[in-house]
Amino acid sequence: MKNTFSALIVGTVFCSVASPDSSRAAVDFVKQVKPILEMNCVSCHGPRNAHKNGEYDLSTKAEALKGGDHDTDIIPGDAERSLVYKYTVLPADHKKIMPPKDSGKPLLKEETEVLKTWINEGANWPDGVTLTNVLKVDFARDIKPILEKGAPLSERAVEMLKLWVDQGAIWPADVKLGGAGGVIQDPELIVVSEIHKKILAASKENSEAEMKKYTDTVSGTTTFEMIPIPGGEFVMGSPASEKGHKPDEAPPHKVKLDPFWIGKHEVTWDEYELFMYAEEKKKAEDGTYTSDSSDAVTRPTRPYVEMSFGMGKIGFPAISMTQHAANKYCQWLSAKTGHFYRLPTEAEWEYACRAGTTTAYSFGDDASQIGDYAWFVDNSDYKYQKVGQKKPNPWGLHDMHGNVTEWTLDQYDAGFYKQFENIIAQNPWNKATKPYPHSARGGSWDDDAIALRSAGRRGSNKDWKMQDPQLPKSIWFLTDAQFLGMRVVRPLKVPSAEEMKNYWNSGVENE
C-alpha cells in the first residue's frame, strides 16, 4: 500500500538513480549523478563551507576534479581509489562515512553504484554544469505531517510535495500515517482536492444552453480552442456491411452521452512542451518562490531522444506520450487553467468524430474524399502535419480522421460492446485495470484510409516503446509510437475530487 501511495502522489516517477548495467547507455551526469551530489554532499562541500572551512568544494567541475586536501577525491576511471565514492560505502558506524551520520542517512546501494559507474566511466562532467544545495526530503520529518493534516495545502506544502516526488517519492516501510482520528490521507487526493477547489471557483456554465465555443490560455501566451458538443444519443460501432468493418466494432449499439467540450485540434507541441519542461519559477521581491497547484503535478523526465523525430514542433501535434503522460498532462492543464480537462472516453471520441453522421467517415462512405479531410499514408509525406489544415467535420473539429491517432481513457477490450447489445449505454467508460492495451482512435498519417473510419479502434501494446534505451523503460514516452497523440475534453458537469483523481490516474502506474 505504501508503494501505491508514493506512486499515486501525482503519477509514478522514473527513478533517476536506477543502477546502470552493461546493456544501457553511459551514466548521465545531469540526470543521475547531479541529484545525488546536490542532495547529499553540497550542503557541506559547497563554495560557502569549503571557502570558509577549507573543505573540499564539490560544486563545480574545476574544483571537484582538482580536489581538496587530497588529490584522490575523484580519480576518473578508478572509483575504488576515489574518496567521493569510497567514503559512501564505509560501514554505517565509520567516522568517515559520507554523508556524515549527524547530517544525513547513508546513500542507497543504487546511488553508490551510480557514483561508482560514473567515476569508472571517466567522471564525465559537462562544462558549465554547477551544483547547488538541494534540500533532501525526509519523509517522516517533511512529508508525513503534510499528508496527515490533509487539505488545504499551503504553498510551502505544495513545494515540499513536489520536491518529494522529484526525489523519487520514497515512503519508508516503517513509517505509518495516522492523521486526525487515525484516518490515513491519500496524498494524491490532497493534491487533486486543491485543483478541484480552483475549478469549482472558476466554473461559470451550469446548463448546456450556456455552453459556447471558447479559447483557453496556458502560461499567458499559448492558446487552444474548445468546441461545445451537445448531449445526445448515437449508434456506436459499425455494421458488418461497412467496408473495413472489424469484429471489435460490433455489435452496433446505442449510447447516450452528457454534453462536453472537445479540443478543436489535437494537442500541439506548443501546449505539451509547457508541461514537459518545468517553467522557471518566478522569484518574488522577498526572495521566496511563487507557485500554484500545477507545481504539484509530476512532469515527464527529459526524453533521451528528440521526440518530434524531426517532423516539426510549432503548430504540429505532440506525439509519443504514454496514456499515463496524457492523463497527467490533463491534470496539469486543469491546474493551470481552472477548467477540468481529461482524455475523452471511446464513446465521447466516436460521438464527436461522427458529428451526427452514421456513415463510415464523418463526410460519408466514399473513401476517395479522405484527402480533403485527413492526412494519411497517401498524402502525408510520411510524417504528421500541422493541425487544422484539412476540412473539419460537421461539428467543426479538425483531424479527427488521420494526422495522429488519439488516446482515449478506455481500456481496450475487443468484446466490450457486447454487453450493450440490447440496452442504451449511459456514458460508458471501460476503466483500465492493467497496463495494456488502452484504446486509441482515429488513425494516423501512417495508416491507410480504411483505418481512419469513425468506428475504427486500436489497442496499445508494449512494443510502442521497444527501442526506448532506458532501463526500466520510461513511463512517459513511447519511442515507437510516432503516430500517436491526444485531444482533450471538458465535461459540462464538474466531477468530484475523487472522480477527478480516478480520471487522471486511469490505468496502472507501471505502463
Side-chain angles (χ1 to χ4, degrees), residues 347-370:
E348 288 168 337
W349 189 96
E350 186 171 327
Y351 180 58
C353 178
R354 289 187 178 280
T357 67
T358 58
T359 47
Y361 306 92
S362 63
F363 51 83
D365 288 315
D366 185 2
S368 67
Q369 299 179 46
I370 192 73

Side-chain angles (χ1 to χ4, degrees), residues 56 82 90 147 152 173 177 183 271 287 307 315 330 333 407 416 423 443 455 466 471 473 505:
Y56 174 42
S82 298
L90 292 172
L147 301 185
L177 292 189
V183 177
E271 302 155 45
M307 293 307 297
C330 292
L333 185 66
W407 276 123
F416 184 63
I423 63 173
M466 184 167 52
L471 294 174
K473 294 185 182 295
N505 294 281

Side-chain angles (χ1 to χ4, degrees), residues 61-338:
K61 177 180 180 179
E63 291 292 334
L65 296 182
K66 180 177 69 175
D69 295 335
H70 312 281
D71 58 4
T72 56
D73 291 284
I74 297 177
I75 305 174
D78 192 346
E80 296 296 340
R81 293 178 55 221
S82 298
L83 300 184
V84 164
Y85 165 72
K86 187 176 178 179
Y87 282 178
T88 65
V89 292
L90 292 172
D93 58 352
H94 197 288
K95 65 179 181 179
K96 289 188 176 181
I97 188 172
M98 294 292 171
K101 289 182 289 184
D102 60 352
S103 64
K105 295 181 179 179
L107 297 187
L108 301 173
K109 186 177 188 299
E110 292 87 348
E111 294 174 314
T112 60
E113 285 298 308
V114 166
L115 291 179
K116 178 181 180 181
T117 305
W118 170 65
I119 294 172
N120 282 339
E121 289 176 348
N124 177 52
W125 185 319
D127 292 337
V129 176
T130 60
L131 307 186
T132 58
N133 182 26
V134 174
L135 171 66
K136 186 174 184 179
V137 176
D138 181 278
F139 181 86
R141 180 194 67 205
D142 302 317
I143 302 302
K144 182 173 179 285
I146 296 173
L147 301 185
E148 290 179 336
K149 179 182 178 182
L153 297 180
S154 65
E155 287 191 2
R156 169 65 177 169
V158 170
E159 290 289 345
M160 189 60 70
L161 286 171
K162 176 63 166 59
L163 192 58
W164 175 55
V165 170
D166 287 345
Q167 294 177 14
I170 296 170
W171 188 320
D174 59 343
V175 179
K176 313 291 184 183
L177 292 189
V183 177
I184 295 178
Q185 299 285 334
D186 180 342
E188 167 70 353
L189 188 55
I190 292 174
V191 174
V192 172
S193 294
E194 291 297 303
I195 301 173
H196 183 255
K197 288 191 297 183
K198 182 176 180 178
I199 290 170
L200 286 179
S203 296
K204 307 298 181 186
E205 301 88 354
N206 297 305
S207 68
E208 186 174 319
E210 297 176 271
M211 294 175 65
K212 308 295 181 185
K213 178 173 65 174
Y214 70 90
T215 298
D216 217 340
T217 304
V218 189
S219 299
T221 56
T222 302
T223 61
F224 59 96
E225 292 185 68
M226 297 295 293
I227 305 297
I229 305 298
E233 287 187 14
F234 80 112
V235 176
M236 187 174 185
S238 69
S241 58
E242 183 173 294
K243 185 177 180 180
H245 165 86
K246 293 183 177 180
D248 65 353
E249 300 163 15
H253 57 286
K254 288 185 178 180
V255 173
K256 186 174 183 178
L257 295 173
D258 294 335
F260 58 94
W261 288 267
I262 190 168
K264 183 177 181 179
H265 306 114
E266 294 149 338
V267 172
T268 65
W269 282 116
D270 312 58
E271 302 155 45
Y272 194 75
E273 284 197 326
L274 295 174
F275 163 65
M276 281 180 63
Y277 303 116
E279 300 161 299
E280 290 295 320
K281 297 178 186 293
K282 296 179 180 179
K283 210 170 188 182
E285 290 182 1
D286 63 358
T288 60
Y289 288 94
T290 61
S291 66
D292 60 28
S293 52
S294 68
D295 291 334
V297 181
T298 297
R299 307 192 196 191
T301 53
R302 285 185 177 267
Y304 273 74
V305 294
E306 196 280 302
M307 293 307 297
S308 78
F309 300 93
M311 292 188 285
K313 285 288 185 75
I314 299 176
F316 290 90
I319 59 167
S320 298
M321 73 288 289
T322 61
Q323 198 215 39
H324 168 76
N327 284 322
K328 288 298 147 188
Y329 171 78
C330 292
Q331 181 175 353
W332 172 84
L333 185 66
S334 301
K336 294 295 287 186
T337 62

Side-chain angles (χ1 to χ4, degrees), residues 2-16 164-169 188 275 296-301 322 324-325 327-328 331 472-477 504-511:
K2 296 179 199 62
N3 289 338
T4 300
F5 275 138
S6 63
L8 279 178
I9 178 71
V10 272
T12 308
V13 182
F14 170 69
C15 183
S16 63
W164 175 55
V165 170
D166 287 345
Q167 294 177 14
E188 167 70 353
F275 163 65
V297 181
T298 297
R299 307 192 196 191
T301 53
T322 61
H324 168 76
N327 284 322
K328 288 298 147 188
Q331 181 175 353
K473 294 185 182 295
S474 173
I475 63 168
W476 298 103
F477 301 109
W504 292 332
N505 294 281
S506 177
V508 295
E509 58 203 42
N510 294 318
E511 184 172 341

